[in-house]
Amino acid sequence: MGAIVGKSSADAVKFLREGFPVALPTETVYGLAAPLSNIQAIESIYRLKERPANNPLIVHVLDFEQLDHVAYTSPLVKRLVNAFWPGPLTLVLPKKNTVPPQVTAQQASVAVRAPQAPLFREVLRLLGEPLVAPSANKFQQVSPTCAAHVLEGMGDVLQYILDGGSCKFGLESTILSLLDSDRPEILRYGPIGPKELESVLGSPVYLPRKQIWQDAEAKLSPGLFKKHYSPKTPLFLVNSLDSFELSERFFNKRCAYIHYRGENQGAHYALTTHDDIYEAANNLYALLQQLDAEHYDVLFAELAPSVGIGLAINDRLQRAGKFLSE
Ligand code: TXA
Ligand code: MG
């Protein structure tokens, strides 16, 4: 029972036209998509994900022309689009009336990105309109980076999962707000780092404000709740596992260790074998899923280097767990 896992973009479009949300591969994580014009299908995304209605969705477009249809743009937006699209950069802009309020949780802004994954783009071309899509996981679960993860987490409530293999980045897109054009602000770290953005913006970019995570009523971007990307097993963070000594309270627990770099050995796992930060990002969610399935009592993870996509790795780790001293 459950969803069909297939490789046909034509089948994906058939289900979308019939009003069923479909799981589609992007270069970041798998998304659960519905056509922008189908409000019932958009509402069913919230139901299927068990996602609160105050958490807005990202609109996925093919190109600048489709962006222009849903949001107010500017020369600065055009520069960013030329530099980073198609790719893992989501822009928050003032919305046009073509976007139904259900998509943006009644906000006056809309988040938009143009995914790079060829299958997703093919579906957009065949459908001829933008697709609204959050990540294809239940609320507060780890985002899926391959079709098997979607099947495991949501297979019982979906009709079709388009299988595009493993996602290239394995972490959600960078979200940049341009609502205040004098103050471009990263709302969520992702594959495109602050330095890359600054080189195109030609001005400083503001970094995510930590208090957003802590404010459960945060209206700005409710998906940025601190507890958002969680494995089921408790996760503790340490700055480095090299000098880590297990305290007594964990002696009778089955512990696993997530190293940034190293070899996989027994209960020790590494995000990358040869200090490749993209490989580390790519392995993070899959490893958290794997460790959940292995039923450890406690996980310990060390932080990645705080540059580029490493900022996104550390951001997701900090949302998934807490520092031992906290
Ligand atoms: O890489 C990605 O962005 C993936 C793939 C599927 O494209 N999508 C994704 O969607 O991560 P989701 O729904 O899991 O996260 C969307 C984030 C949420 O944190 C939401 O609050 C924020 O985008 N967001 C959406 N619209 C917004 C808006 N108008 N203003 C501020 N934040 C917004
Ligand atoms: Mg998500």
Side-chain angles (χ1 to χ4, degrees):
M1 151 167 152
I4 302 167
V5 179
K7 299 202 168 171
S8 161
S9 29
D11 284 352
V13 170
K14 184 174 75 83
F15 280 106
L16 286 168
R17 290 213 166 108
E18 285 171 6
F20 296 106
V22 169
L24 300 175
T26 86
E27 72 281 16
T28 58
V29 298
Y30 274 69
L32 182 58
L36 182 66
S37 64
N38 190 335
I39 290 175
Q40 281 183 346
I42 292 168
E43 283 175 340
S44 70
I45 288 180
Y46 284 92
R47 255 196 329 276
L48 297 175
K49 275 185 64 95
E50 297 163 23
R51 176 177 174 119
N54 67 348
N55 192 354
L57 305 175
I58 295 177
V59 176
H60 295 69
V61 298
L62 255 187
D63 49 26
F64 188 83
E65 201 185 321
Q66 277 191 347
L67 167 66
D68 202 42
H69 180 66
V70 297
Y72 291 96
T73 62
S74 66
L76 183 66
V77 171
K78 182 94 201 193
R79 277 217 309 279
L80 287 164
V81 163
N82 287 341
F84 297 110
W85 280 13
L89 177 65
T90 297
L91 300 173
V92 175
L93 297 167
K95 90 174 191 68
K96 289 188 175 167
N97 283 339
T98 47
V99 183
Q102 288 87 345
V103 173
T104 62
Q106 319 290 328
Q107 298 192 60
S109 62
V110 62
V112 190
R113 83 178 192 96
Q116 189 178 82
L119 275 181
F120 199 111
R121 292 182 64 75
E122 201 174 309
V123 171
L124 280 173
R125 264 192 296 270
L126 291 172
L127 192 70
E129 66 167 306
L131 281 164
V132 169
S135 51
N137 53 283
K138 293 239 168 121
F139 184 57
Q140 294 192 330
Q141 300 293 314
V142 175
S143 297
T145 58
C146 63
H149 290 166
V150 183
L151 188 65
E152 197 184 304
M154 301 200 71
D156 54 340
V157 295
L158 300 183
Q159 303 292 319
Y160 196 74
I161 299 169
L162 183 59
D163 185 356
S166 287
C167 300
K168 176 172 160 191
F169 292 106
L171 285 183
E172 301 85 348
S173 61
T174 304
I175 303 182
L176 181 70
S177 171
L178 294 171
L179 292 180
D180 179 349
S181 52
D182 296 332
R183 200 178 181 285
E185 179 180 5
I186 294 180
L187 299 180
R188 178 176 73 184
Y189 284 120
I192 297 175
K195 292 274 172 304
E196 282 171 274
L197 291 171
E198 283 173 350
S199 73
V200 174
L201 289 166
S203 67
V205 65
Y206 290 80
L207 302 181
R209 287 174 279 176
K210 272 209 168 161
Q211 65 271 24
I212 292 177
W213 302 357
Q214 278 140 23
D215 180 2
E217 298 301 321
K219 286 283 185 302
L220 181 60
S221 196
L224 305 177
F225 287 162
K226 175 164 171 14
K227 188 152 181 57
H228 190 56
Y229 302 87
S230 323
K232 296 184 186 105
T233 318
L235 172 71
F236 290 104
L237 305 177
V238 297
N239 283 317
S240 163
L241 281 171
D242 291 344
S243 53
F244 176 64
E245 278 183 42
L246 195 66
S247 73
E248 226 170 281
R249 70 175 162 127
F250 298 113
F251 281 0
N252 59 350
K253 304 273 190 242
R254 276 190 75 223
C255 301
Y257 304 88
I258 303 173
H259 297 254
Y260 169 66
R261 178 187 48 233
E263 306 285 322
N264 291 327
Q265 227 171 35
H268 292 265
Y269 301 83
L271 291 175
T272 168
T273 49
H274 48 283
D275 208 357
D276 175 344
I277 205 156
Y278 285 97
E279 180 186 54
N282 203 276
N283 283 329
L284 178 65
Y285 286 159
L287 183 59
L288 291 177
Q289 301 244 1
Q290 181 194 333
L291 296 181
D292 262 346
E294 294 188 12
H295 300 294
Y296 285 101
D297 297 322
V298 191
L299 310 176
F300 295 96
E302 68 182 354
L303 296 184
S306 289
V307 286
I309 199 171
L311 290 164
I313 297 175
N314 292 343
D315 169 64
R316 304 310 190 268
L317 280 172
Q318 287 172 72
R319 291 163 198 261
K322 56 178 187 175
F323 276 98
L324 248 188
S325 52
E326 272 176 21

